[in-house]
Amino acid sequence: MDLEGGTHSNSFIKRESWRTVLTLAYQSLGVVYGDLSTSPLYVYKSAFAEDIKHSETNEEIYGVLSFVFWTLTLIPLLKYVFIVLKANDNGEGGTFALYSLLCRHARIGFLPNVQLADEDLSAYKKTESLTRGHDSINGESGRYSRRPVPEASNLKNLLEKHQVLQRILLILALIGTCMVIGDGVLTPALSVFSAVSGLELSMAKEHHKFVEVPIACAILICLFAVQHYGTHRVGFLFAPIVITWLLCISMIGLYNIIHWNPSIYQALSPYYMYKFLKKTQMEGWMSLGGILLCITGSEAMFADLGHFSQLSIKIAFSFVVYPSLILAYMGQAAYLSQHHFVESNYLIGFYVSVPEKLRWPVLAIAILAAVVGSQAVITGTFSIIKQCSALGCFPRVKIIYTSHKFYGQVYIPDINWILMILCLAVTIGFRDTKRLGNASGLAIITVMLVTTCLMSLVIVLCWGRSIVLALCFIFFFGSIEALYFSSSLIKFREGAWVPIILSLVFMVIMYVWHYGTLKKYEFDVQNKVSINWLLSLGPTLGIVRVRGIGLIHSELVSGIPAIFSHFVTNLPAFHQVLVFLCIKSVPVPHVQPEERFLVGRIGPKEYRLYRCIARYGYHDIHKDDIEFEEELLCSIAAFIQSSSPLTEPDGLSEESGKEAERMAVVGACHWLPELEEEDGGSDSCENAGDLAGPSKSREIQSPIISTKKKKRVRFVLPESPKMDSGVQEELRELMEARETGMVFIMGHSYMKAKGGSSFMKKIVLHVYDFLRRNSRGPCYAVSIPYASTLEVGMSYLV
């Protein structure tokens, strides 16, 4: 009976697992594949746009179909589905995920305030290498570790030794990121304009050109205007729309194959690619830029991996998207093989192969599908900008989390309106799918080339495979993508200049911000105050200690920032509790809450000086000021409770280099605030100073005013006979300081170049200072009241 019950239970769990996978696969159709599924709208039209002509022999249309089939098979199916999806960073994908994965396997990252303690994060653990050799079990972690191949060690040493190679790798990642942002401008314009172009068959040619652009612009304006509502509010409609569209194009394709040319399957042979290039030569090579558009949106399978799972993405593409697209392209080719239009190129578009009775319903579904695909690209652009900002490669912008259930859905108002303006500009400026396709194609293939290059390094460094295998990967897929890249680049003057200019502008912004951030941190490190100087001032720091908590924000993970000495030498008083706070990003997608805070003490207990380092991943949601404040105080209180007088450092001989070794990761708090909500009429400070009996605990209530209700935070201090009296006194003083108030002290730096600096360095620092003055403050300080914020101005000479 037990055996039968166990079998039944296992089958139930397995059935539930498959149900979850299929649900995710269904949802991914609306989020991931909206852009890829609308590519039949413009591929044939872009391929035949003035480069090649459609002749009676059908060699051109057969060749284009063969190229489309093998491109879809080799790039999205073979490369992404079966290989690239495995190179995820703890379930996250995308260009920066690959880069952060490489940074953890080799010290090639440029994040300034990294610590050895960061490598102990659970998400930081290196993925299991698929290396050759004998396996051994690590008794502590219970994970398998494998012996690395020599090529991995040699490549790792080479990258760590030469900083030039590290900068090239960073620039490569930034180029891919900038092209993704450029794709966020071009893809909505191309998808929406191509969908609206179906009106060309319903009205005269002279009229439809004056109708398409206004309608496309109106749809784009509405699309960007509703971004602040978030995808989750209308996301339940995305999957049905895309499924309806895929079903529609596959059924139309199947009808055209049966009705017009049942033998069209012969064109899938790669021989027709050879015949196509042999006949068309230079014109055929240039037309590859249009054929390339059949894989637009393929990168989304990897970029949006964090929202779903590998298996769900594979199932959705392999069994739904891929067959539907192949049928759609074969159906278009079958129709065109029996209809040779020479009078006008625009009749080679998608809608001409749709039966006339279905054109208006198909037009409506196509517009909806184009909007869904554009929505996914825009959301992906927001996500990658958030990643870049978290890793110090983009100016700080206001980030709004549109959903509390789905962590990846963000909205960035400033970027949204910039994207809208640029999208409208290219739509109005080009007004045809040919130049829009040329621009979008270059952005798409550049991102894929970057992914191929980074992936080859992942194969060696992260997977531990032979460098020969990595060279085979980059040679096979890189040669295919290089062919398409050259075809797109040759059309620089015909639209391909747009993504290059856009990427160049964003590249300059990102690199200047990264350079300025590094120089600012280097100045902070060189000018930090010795801890011995601070300890020599005595417990009062040589000044009057007033009640309250002073939070001193700094990027430093050790030492005393220069702004603190600048402050205490000009003001005669400071708070009774000082916390040197560092909020930093680590190259992992998520940091577990129990691993978020590193807490340590600076000097003896009576100084009441603490250092707290809050660590966030590039996909983590930063808490608001109230929640962050409570978590911070809880972590300090838990650290105080876990401290023992026998293990306390004397502080008199403490060096900044040893300080990080004495910091502790604070897990679950032993001393927790209790949060209650009550009506606004009650007095939450009624019994603030009452002491409980011996068997109870002391309770201090802190009012936090809300717009609707009043939140009451009760700090409960247990009076246990086992608790050291010194620890109890330190906790009591921390609570009293919290009740008095908390002040955030932040540095306000002005970057200036030293005398004798080069002209380029001065220009770069001026641009950085301009970006800094026009960017947002630290994300955690956005909602802090001005009355509780103090900025200390300093000039930085770098």
Side-chain angles (χ1 to χ4, degrees):
M1 293 296 293
D2 293 339
L3 182 61
E4 292 177 359
T7 304
H8 176 75
S9 177
N10 290 334
S11 64
F12 176 76
I13 294 173
K14 190 173 182 179
R15 185 168 61 252
E16 285 293 306
S17 176
W18 275 106
R19 181 182 304 173
T20 303
V21 169
L22 294 177
T23 301
L24 290 174
Y26 167 78
Q27 294 172 349
S28 70
L29 290 171
V31 177
V32 177
Y33 299 108
D35 187 18
L36 183 61
S37 64
T38 55
S39 57
L41 288 171
Y42 43 77
V43 168
Y44 283 111
K45 190 172 183 178
S46 299
F48 286 93
E50 299 180 11
D51 295 324
I52 55 177
K53 301 298 181 182
H54 186 199
S55 64
E56 296 285 344
T57 62
N58 286 327
E59 289 184 353
E60 294 84 0
I61 192 65
Y62 279 24
V64 170
L65 175 60
S66 184
F67 265 105
V68 168
F69 171 77
W70 286 106
T71 303
L72 276 171
T73 302
L74 294 177
I75 302 299
L77 185 63
L78 181 59
K79 175 188 171 183
Y80 280 95
V81 170
F82 289 104
I83 301 176
V84 176
L85 287 181
K86 297 179 180 179
N88 59 83
D89 182 11
N90 291 287
E92 298 292 336
T95 303
F96 255 89
L98 284 178
Y99 181 70
S100 68
L101 195 62
L102 291 171
C103 290
R104 297 209 305 274
H105 286 77
R107 300 184 186 278
I108 58 177
F110 284 92
L111 284 176
N113 48 8
V114 294
Q115 297 172 278
L116 289 175
D118 297 336
E119 298 184 8
D120 295 329
L121 293 171
S122 57
Y124 203 98
K125 301 296 183 183
K126 299 176 182 178
T127 55
E128 296 180 8
S129 301
L130 303 177
T131 56
R132 297 171 299 181
H134 299 287
D135 298 346
S136 61
I137 299 179
N138 186 333
E140 295 180 1
S141 61
R143 299 179 62 177
Y144 285 92
S145 61
R146 305 195 181 207
R147 191 178 304 167
V149 295
E151 292 92 338
S153 300
N154 295 335
L155 181 60
K156 178 177 178 291
N157 295 332
L158 181 66
L159 290 174
E160 292 178 349
K161 183 178 179 181
H162 296 87
Q163 197 173 26
V164 175
L165 297 178
Q166 299 175 20
R167 293 192 179 277
I168 291 175
L169 198 60
L170 173 64
I171 292 174
L172 190 65
L174 293 182
I175 289 174
T177 303
C178 292
M179 283 296 180
V180 171
I181 298 174
D183 192 32
V185 174
L186 298 167
T187 295
L190 177 61
S191 299
V192 173
F193 190 86
S194 300
V196 175
S197 65
L199 295 172
E200 64 191 7
L201 299 178
S202 302
M203 55 181 61
K205 184 178 179 181
E206 307 80 37
H207 298 155
H208 78 80
K209 287 189 175 181
F210 299 99
V211 175
E212 287 177 353
V213 175
I215 292 179
C217 290
I219 294 174
L220 289 172
I221 291 174
C222 294
L223 175 63
F224 284 98
V226 300
Q227 289 299 313
H228 66 280
Y229 290 110
T231 304
H232 67 286
R233 297 186 184 275
V234 291
F236 66 94
L237 294 175
F238 285 2
I241 290 174
V242 174
I243 290 175
T244 303
W245 169 250
L246 289 173
L247 183 64
C248 178
I249 61 175
S250 59
M251 290 298 100
I252 292 174
L254 188 62
Y255 166 80
N256 286 329
I257 292 171
I258 297 173
H259 188 266
W260 296 110
N261 190 354
S263 62
I264 193 67
Y265 67 90
Q266 298 177 359
L268 302 183
S269 170
Y271 173 70
Y272 285 95
M273 292 192 291
Y274 167 75
K275 291 184 64 176
F276 172 79
L277 292 178
K278 182 179 179 181
K279 180 179 181 179
T280 58
Q281 297 183 357
M282 184 68 178
E283 290 78 9
W285 171 62
M286 295 181 65
S287 69
L288 293 180
I291 299 174
L292 163 68
L293 297 176
C294 70
I295 54 176
T296 179
S298 299
E299 187 74 21
M301 288 192 290
F302 185 46
D304 294 332
L305 181 61
H307 301 284
F308 305 99
S309 64
Q310 286 189 50
L311 188 57
S312 63
I313 296 271
K314 291 178 180 180
I315 290 175
F317 181 80
S318 303
F319 295 100
V320 181
V321 179
Y322 179 76
S324 299
L325 291 177
I326 297 301
L327 285 175
Y329 286 117
M330 290 179 64
Q332 288 187 59
Y335 179 88
L336 294 175
S337 66
Q338 303 299 320
H339 299 79
H340 304 91
F341 302 104
V342 293
E343 58 194 44
S344 179
N345 286 325
Y346 79 92
L347 289 177
I348 304 185
F350 166 77
Y351 291 101
V352 71
S353 64
V354 178
E356 189 172 355
K357 295 181 179 180
L358 300 178
R359 282 177 183 170
W360 283 105
V362 171
L363 175 65
I365 299 173
I367 292 176
L368 292 175
V371 170
V372 171
S374 302
Q375 171 67 46
V377 173
I378 295 170
T379 304
T381 305
F382 293 156
S383 298
I384 200 165
I385 288 178
K386 178 183 179 295
Q387 292 181 31
C388 295
S389 180
L391 295 177
C393 292
F394 200 87
R396 289 187 294 264
V397 290
K398 183 179 181 181
I399 299 176
I400 300 174
Y401 298 92
T402 58
S403 174
H404 296 289
K405 297 181 179 179
F406 306 99
Y407 65 87
Q409 296 182 8
V410 296
Y411 169 65
I412 306 177
D414 302 330
I415 300 300
N416 182 67
W417 304 124
I418 291 174
L419 290 179
M420 186 189 76
I421 293 172
L422 294 174
C423 192
L424 292 175
V426 297
T427 303
I428 297 173
F430 287 156
R431 297 189 299 277
D432 61 48
T433 56
K434 175 189 174 183
R435 288 180 290 180
L436 284 172
N438 294 337
S440 181
L442 183 61
I444 293 164
I445 199 61
T446 305
V447 177
M448 292 183 176
L449 269 172
V450 170
T451 300
T452 300
C453 295
L454 296 179
M455 187 65 204
S456 62
L457 294 176
V458 169
I459 291 174
V460 179
L461 292 177
C462 305
W463 292 358
R465 292 299 183 94
S466 170
I467 197 170
V468 176
L469 183 63
L471 290 176
C472 292
F473 176 86
I474 194 172
F475 177 77
F476 180 76
F477 292 107
S479 59
I480 298 173
E481 292 162 356
L483 179 65
Y484 283 117
F485 179 78
S486 61
S487 174
S488 299
L489 192 61
I490 201 67
K491 298 183 178 181
F492 178 84
R493 300 180 60 184
E494 300 177 15
W497 59 271
V498 173
I500 295 178
I501 298 299
L502 287 176
S503 299
L504 183 62
V505 172
F506 281 104
M507 183 76 178
V508 169
I509 292 174
M510 296 169 75
Y511 196 82
V512 165
W513 184 263
H514 186 71
Y515 175 83
T517 302
L518 286 178
K519 289 298 179 182
K520 180 178 178 295
Y521 184 78
E522 290 175 2
F523 181 89
D524 286 334
V525 171
Q526 294 169 3
N527 294 272
K528 66 182 180 180
V529 180
S530 171
I531 294 180
N532 290 329
W533 169 83
L534 181 65
L535 299 179
S536 65
L537 299 177
T540 63
L541 303 183
I543 55 179
V544 178
R545 302 292 291 270
V546 298
R547 297 184 64 191
I549 298 178
L551 272 180
I552 305 166
H553 176 257
S554 172
E555 300 295 334
L556 296 176
V557 294
S558 64
I560 306 299
I563 61 168
F564 178 74
S565 63
H566 186 66
F567 186 89
V568 298
T569 53
N570 288 276
L571 290 177
F574 218 91
H575 301 85
Q576 68 185 100
V577 176
L578 292 181
V579 180
F580 292 93
L581 175 65
C582 174
I583 297 182
K584 69 173 188 177
S585 296
V586 289
V588 297
H590 300 284
V591 176
Q592 297 297 326
E594 60 270 15
E595 299 176 322
R596 175 133 6 248
F597 291 100
L598 272 174
V599 183
R601 180 180 284 111
I602 302 176
K605 279 185 176 183
E606 57 268 20
Y607 282 65
R608 302 298 189 253
L609 301 179
Y610 307 96
R611 183 183 305 283
C612 185
I613 300 173
R615 302 174 292 184
Y616 286 89
Y618 54 80
H619 267 317
D620 276 332
I621 299 177
H622 291 257
K623 304 296 180 64
D624 58 27
D625 58 325
I626 296 177
E627 191 171 356
F628 177 79
E629 178 182 323
E630 304 305 336
E631 287 187 358
L632 176 64
L633 291 178
C634 276
S635 64
I636 296 175
F639 171 77
I640 294 173
Q641 278 188 290
S642 62
S643 300
S644 171
L646 299 178
T647 60
E648 283 296 318
D650 55 9
L652 297 177
S653 61
E654 184 178 8
E655 298 291 339
S656 60
K658 297 180 180 179
E659 182 188 350
E661 299 175 1
R662 293 176 176 174
M663 300 191 73
V665 178
V666 177
C669 295
H670 302 288
W671 177 70
L672 295 172
E674 296 181 5
L675 189 64
E676 291 185 353
E677 290 187 0
E678 59 181 17
D679 296 333
S682 62
D683 187 5
S684 60
C685 296
E686 184 177 356
N687 298 317
D690 295 342
L691 290 176
S695 61
K696 297 182 181 180
S697 60
R698 180 179 176 182
E699 179 182 305
I700 298 180
Q701 300 172 347
S702 171
I704 301 174
I705 304 300
S706 176
T707 54
K708 296 182 179 180
K709 292 185 178 182
K710 185 178 296 185
K711 290 184 179 180
R712 183 176 65 183
V713 180
R714 303 186 304 163
F715 295 93
V716 180
L717 176 61
E719 293 190 359
S720 171
K722 296 182 181 180
M723 181 179 292
D724 182 77
S725 59
V727 172
Q728 195 168 9
E729 179 62 28
E730 194 172 359
L731 286 175
R732 183 176 289 108
E733 189 169 344
L734 179 66
M735 289 192 297
E736 292 174 353
R738 167 63 184 87
E739 294 303 309
T740 303
M742 183 179 294
V743 176
F744 288 79
I745 302 168
M746 296 180 292
H748 192 79
S749 59
Y750 298 89
M751 302 278 288
K752 297 180 181 179
K754 289 182 179 179
S757 299
S758 63
F759 177 75
M760 181 59 67
K761 184 177 181 180
K762 293 179 180 179
I763 293 295
V764 169
L765 290 179
H766 277 299
V767 175
Y768 173 78
D769 191 60
F770 172 80
L771 293 174
R772 185 195 57 78
R773 285 187 280 108
N774 290 275
S775 63
R776 302 279 178 170
C779 52
Y780 67 91
V782 171
S783 56
I784 296 174
Y786 287 108
S788 301
T789 305
L790 181 63
E791 290 189 355
V792 181
M794 284 191 66
S795 295
Y796 284 28
L797 294 177
V798 298

